[in-house]
Amino acid sequence: MSEIYYPHKELFENPAFKNMCEYEDLVKEFEKDYEGTWAKLANEKISWFAPFKKVLDESNAPFYKWFTEGKLNVAYQCIDRHLKDKKNKAAIIWEGDNGEKRIITYLELHREVNRFANLLKSLGVKKGDRVVIYMPMIPEAAFAMLACARIGAIHSVVFGGFSAEALKDRILDAEAKIVITADGAFRKGKPYMLKPVVDKALEGVDCVEKVVVVERNNEEIEWVEGRDVSYNDLIVNQDNECPFEIMDSEDPLFLLYTSGSTGKPKGVEHHQAGYILWAQLTMEWVFDIKNNDTFWCTADIGWITGHTYIVYGPLAAGATTLMFEGVLTYPDAGRAWKMIEEYKVNQFYTAPTAIRLLHKIGADEPKKYDLTSLRILGTVGEPIDPAAWKWYYDVVGNGRCSIVDTWWQTETGGHMISPLPAATPIKPGSATFPLPGIFAEIIDENGNKMPPNEKGLLCITKPWPSMIRTIWGDPERFVSSYFGTAKKDGKPVYFSGDGAIYDEDGYIWITGRVDDVINVSGHRLGTAEIEAAIQKHPHVAEVAVVGKPDEITGESIFAYIVLKSNENLGEDVELMKEINEIIAKEIGNIAKVKDFAFVPGLPKTRSGKIMRRILRAIAKGEEIKQDTSTLEDPSVVEKIIEIVKSCQI
Ligand code: WT7
């Protein structure tokens, strides 16, 4: 039995949900009148230029459409409509790696975004064009996203840690016309570079016409004549006003690439109205955002968390969002707590991997700072273990803040399962219950609800406004990836790729991916992508990678490699270094292998399928309970176990 923690109600003044009865009421309202309830919320929250005609169009399922024929502009929703009451309110507070500060008010944000939008237009960017944003964590990254939204261009932000190859793949897949980047930025007191990566990525690429370079760290870079332009030079001549494009609810807003279990990364496509509605609503429901709050999400804008909870959600809600260029552990283990004290942060949202790291390197550090401004502590990206939870709750939150363990995905656009901070009794490690309007259920393939304590598929059985619309350029993959596994009442439903369990009180416990996706530090990596990179090494014949539990990063990557010649069995550190360099080049440092074994073969079924479950068990040092007699060569398992054991000594 796990302990239950009740919200400290005195922290919350007028929360969206005061108690579980209010939660139940709205859940019931959605059950009674699904479309009507969504319509009410959409009308209340969005500044429409023209009303929508239909709430949910299911005629081409699973390509669902929401709020059809409604007209809006997401940049208007995030900026212009706040100017009346909040023009001098801080929209973005930015802190640089070295402690440098910038405060951008809503009026300034309006001006910066308009100027950037005009700059993009002057380079020929039009509604529907794809703009790749490969940027550090500086305000210009947010300006760039919103500038695209203003003129109806589709942005695709690529995480700055991805390699030139990974960036190139994404640029080509989206057929981007423009790349926005920076010379580089600062990390742990030192400059690092992005522009050279873009230069490399663009070798042999024809679709990109211009590269806009924000000069941030002023390090030496190469300028390609006719292609590269300086943001700093051009922005000063732009007009402060840029008319916004009137967008349809179902026009694309952005693409964000994420890993699947097979093949190349998929360009998850999000559209306008449904996405922004849910980004804003979850800020109010889950983060209890209030006018005077300072909200800090530590994600990178290259991930969905950064999109929804640094840029779109907080700004749509008219809040103040804190954006940080540096790392939480630099110059010391107190950096995060110092910033919370200094800015009087009210909601702090980070990943379990960061919590574990901060705990490890400075368990008592939070006590040195005044953290009493905090009301809500959020986590996202992976299940949080009891030790990390307890420290977050007791030491960071001083035993009074609500912890919201938010389960969601790139594909869901915003939170799906999460406590409501002033209402939900919390069990540490459980994301608790689906948010109102979200029909998240743990079922089997035929749609039967799983009984308590039995693992099932975590599915969302009704379409929801902020759901993925398709995979860019690959609608079949969209259907097969998400709607090919489970059915309810005979109808395909969205399957998340995660397994989960109900406990006897109906709390949801996420058990992790059931597909071949590894979660390292809350980042999704497909085994197929990593294997394809490793395979590029000339000595490698075959490879299988699996996730192995890791104290800090949640999971780490374990590679079983079969070499073309069987001489070098065991551990060959030099060869592994070479292989990791290939991974860094093909994907990025985040995908590097931590543990490895050179083995004589892989455990395969007679039909040639690699039995990853066995490899996962070996990586964990677990006993193999599975029947191995059906394998093509059962003796290979013993050999692998021997080798892994000898490597660990
Ligand atoms: C996968 C989605 C959502 C933004 C960050 C990652 C795992 C996410 C939780 C949580 C347990 C979680 C799932 C999910 N995940 N949040 N609170 N508890 N697991 O986005 O890269 O799209 O990854 O992250 O496995 O499927 P993403």
Side-chain angles (χ1 to χ4, degrees):
M1 268 310 271
S2 75
E3 255 177 292
I4 295 193
Y5 291 76
Y6 292 91
H8 286 242
K9 303 243 181 205
E10 71 279 6
L11 288 181
F12 302 96
E13 231 177 87
N14 199 20
F17 300 87
K18 290 189 203 67
N19 49 56
M20 287 313 269
C21 293
E22 292 190 359
Y23 164 77
E24 300 286 349
D25 284 349
L26 189 56
V27 170
K28 284 202 192 102
E29 210 179 306
F30 271 112
E31 276 167 7
K32 244 185 7 228
D33 182 8
Y34 193 61
E35 294 186 23
T37 310
W38 279 119
K40 202 172 81 189
L41 288 165
N43 281 323
E44 211 176 287
K45 300 294 174 186
I46 292 183
S47 296
W48 295 101
F49 305 138
F52 52 87
K53 299 223 169 105
K54 205 166 171 17
V55 182
L56 171 61
D57 177 354
E58 301 187 84
S59 60
N60 193 22
F63 299 91
Y64 296 101
K65 289 188 180 145
W66 282 88
F67 312 120
T68 57
E69 294 177 67
K71 303 289 178 204
L72 76 164
N73 181 284
V74 166
Y76 182 95
Q77 179 77 9
C78 290
I79 310 169
D80 303 49
R81 71 190 188 104
H82 302 312
L83 294 182
K84 200 164 141 267
D85 317 316
K86 303 185 178 184
K87 69 176 189 294
N88 292 323
K89 171 176 174 168
I92 300 176
I93 298 179
W94 176 82
E95 182 160 308
D97 182 64
N98 67 356
E100 180 189 349
K101 295 169 175 57
R102 280 171 74 183
I103 296 176
I104 296 128
T105 64
Y106 272 94
L107 187 60
E108 287 171 315
L109 181 63
H110 184 257
R111 188 171 59 225
E112 296 294 346
V113 168
N114 282 340
R115 289 155 78 99
F116 211 145
N118 281 325
L119 194 164
L120 293 177
K121 274 168 115 176
S122 76
L123 300 177
V125 179
K126 295 196 177 60
K127 180 177 170 180
D129 285 344
R130 275 80 57 209
V131 174
V132 162
I133 300 178
Y134 187 69
M135 288 279 267
M137 288 288 288
I138 55 176
E140 286 75 11
F143 303 163
M145 292 163 75
L146 292 159
C148 289
R150 190 161 192 94
I151 61 175
I154 305 168
H155 63 67
S156 168
V157 183
V158 177
F159 171 56
F162 277 121
S163 68
E165 279 303 318
L167 176 60
K168 181 184 203 144
D169 287 346
R170 286 157 176 77
I171 290 170
L172 287 173
D173 190 77
E175 293 175 88
K177 191 170 180 179
I178 302 276
V179 175
I180 303 173
T181 188
D183 43 9
F186 295 95
R187 194 168 185 270
K188 295 192 180 182
K190 292 192 194 79
Y192 72 90
M193 302 307 289
L194 291 174
K195 174 66 165 52
V197 184
V198 174
D199 291 338
K200 196 137 189 294
L202 291 182
E203 281 170 17
V205 170
D206 295 329
C207 54
V208 173
E209 293 168 13
K210 295 281 175 198
V211 176
V212 181
V213 185
V214 179
E215 290 166 86
R216 155 74 185 131
N217 67 10
N218 295 303
E219 293 290 310
E220 193 75 41
I221 52 169
E222 273 172 35
W223 294 88
V224 174
E225 269 270 348
R227 187 194 73 184
D228 299 350
V229 297
S230 159
Y231 168 86
N232 307 50
D233 286 353
L234 294 185
I235 201 72
V236 289
N237 300 319
Q238 303 302 321
D239 204 279
N240 286 345
E241 292 298 327
C242 173
F244 48 80
E245 196 75 32
I246 305 272
M247 303 297 286
D248 191 278
S249 292
E250 286 294 342
D251 282 331
L253 176 63
F254 65 81
L255 310 180
L256 186 57
Y257 284 81
T258 190
S259 298
S261 44
T262 54
K264 289 211 297 183
K266 342 179 233 199
V268 171
E269 191 172 318
H270 281 289
H271 290 184
Q272 313 271 328
Y275 172 79
I276 201 67
L277 172 64
W278 194 235
Q280 185 179 325
L281 264 178
T282 49
M283 284 302 298
E284 297 173 9
W285 291 2
V286 175
F287 290 129
D288 184 45
I289 195 78
K290 291 288 181 292
N291 195 33
N292 202 31
D293 286 347
T294 303
F295 178 84
W296 186 15
C297 165
T298 70
D300 190 279
I301 45 136
W303 310 113
I304 190 69
T305 312
H307 282 58
T308 308
Y309 298 111
I310 294 178
V311 181
Y312 287 115
L315 297 176
T320 299
T321 179
L322 179 60
M323 186 178 187
F324 177 43
E325 179 186 37
V327 293
L328 298 178
T329 52
Y330 177 84
D332 56 50
R335 179 68 179 267
W337 321 126
K338 181 166 177 276
M339 285 177 63
I340 291 172
E341 175 181 274
E342 188 167 340
Y343 297 105
K344 301 204 186 308
V345 170
N346 305 97
Q347 297 90 351
F348 180 63
Y349 191 32
T350 195
T353 182
I355 299 167
R356 287 191 293 268
L357 182 65
L358 292 168
H359 181 195
K360 189 171 172 188
I361 65 172
D364 290 327
E365 211 58 28
K367 293 181 187 152
K368 299 182 189 158
Y369 299 87
D370 176 3
L371 306 181
T372 50
S373 57
L374 289 170
R375 294 203 303 282
I376 295 170
L377 298 171
T379 84
V380 59
E382 51 174 317
I384 181 162
D385 49 288
W389 195 96
K390 195 94 179 75
W391 180 74
Y392 204 31
Y393 187 80
D394 288 340
V395 182
V396 181
N398 201 15
R400 46 191 274 290
C401 297
S402 293
I403 294 191
V404 290
D405 179 346
T406 60
W407 177 87
W408 59 296
Q409 313 179 289
T410 305
E411 293 87 344
T412 70
H415 304 148
M416 295 282 105
I417 305 173
S418 170
L420 295 161
T424 311
I426 291 168
K427 295 190 187 184
S430 165
T432 72
F433 308 110
L435 292 173
I438 302 302
F439 286 72
E441 296 184 78
I442 308 169
I443 55 177
D444 65 17
E445 283 166 11
N446 301 314
N448 303 304
K449 204 160 173 149
M450 298 307 288
N453 302 316
E454 269 183 51
K455 188 165 140 184
L457 308 171
L458 180 55
C459 293
I460 301 165
T461 56
K462 271 181 191 290
W464 68 102
S466 66
M467 70 191 293
I468 174 177
R469 292 305 193 269
T470 186
I471 292 172
W472 179 259
D474 202 346
E476 289 95 33
R477 192 173 175 201
F478 165 71
V479 178
S480 63
S481 302
Y482 304 108
F483 293 89
T485 305
K487 284 188 174 160
K488 195 183 167 184
D489 305 324
K491 213 165 115 182
V493 293
Y494 177 89
F495 171 47
S496 64
D498 280 6
I501 293 173
Y502 289 117
D503 70 11
E504 43 293 322
D505 301 323
Y507 280 68
I508 294 173
W509 298 77
I510 314 291
T511 55
R513 306 288 307 192
V514 298
D515 53 11
D516 291 327
V517 167
I518 303 179
N519 187 332
V520 182
S521 298
H523 303 320
R524 245 161 95 170
L525 297 162
T527 50
E529 288 163 72
I530 305 169
E531 287 165 4
I534 295 175
Q535 208 102 49
K536 295 214 162 148
H537 193 287
H539 290 349
V540 173
E542 238 190 329
V543 56
V545 307
V546 297
K548 176 185 167 183
D550 184 279
E551 200 196 340
I552 298 292
T553 59
E555 274 190 296
S556 62
I557 299 166
F558 194 124
Y560 295 88
I561 301 169
V562 184
L563 295 174
K564 284 182 181 154
S565 96
N566 262 353
E567 277 158 35
N568 263 326
L569 295 187
E571 204 168 6
D572 184 332
V573 179
E574 276 314 305
L575 182 55
M576 199 54 231
K577 259 196 205 151
E578 286 174 29
I579 292 175
N580 261 333
E581 271 161 35
I582 298 180
I583 296 175
K585 183 171 154 280
E586 294 291 319
I587 305 171
N589 283 327
I590 46 170
K592 276 187 180 169
V593 167
K594 188 169 173 206
D595 298 286
F596 58 93
F598 293 106
V599 294
L602 298 171
K604 285 186 192 163
T605 59
R606 293 206 177 89
S607 60
K609 189 173 164 346
I610 297 171
M611 296 301 289
R612 279 172 218 276
R613 211 171 336 140
I614 293 177
L615 295 174
R616 273 194 287 267
I618 298 174
K620 273 195 215 166
E622 279 176 6
E623 227 172 290
I624 308 295
K625 294 194 200 90
Q626 212 177 334
D627 177 18
T628 54
S629 62
T630 56
L631 295 179
E632 192 186 45
D633 172 13
S635 74
V636 83
V637 175
E638 284 311 313
K639 290 180 199 149
I640 296 173
I641 293 173
E642 276 304 297
I643 291 166
V644 170
K645 271 196 189 137
S646 70
C647 292
Q648 278 160 353
I649 296 165

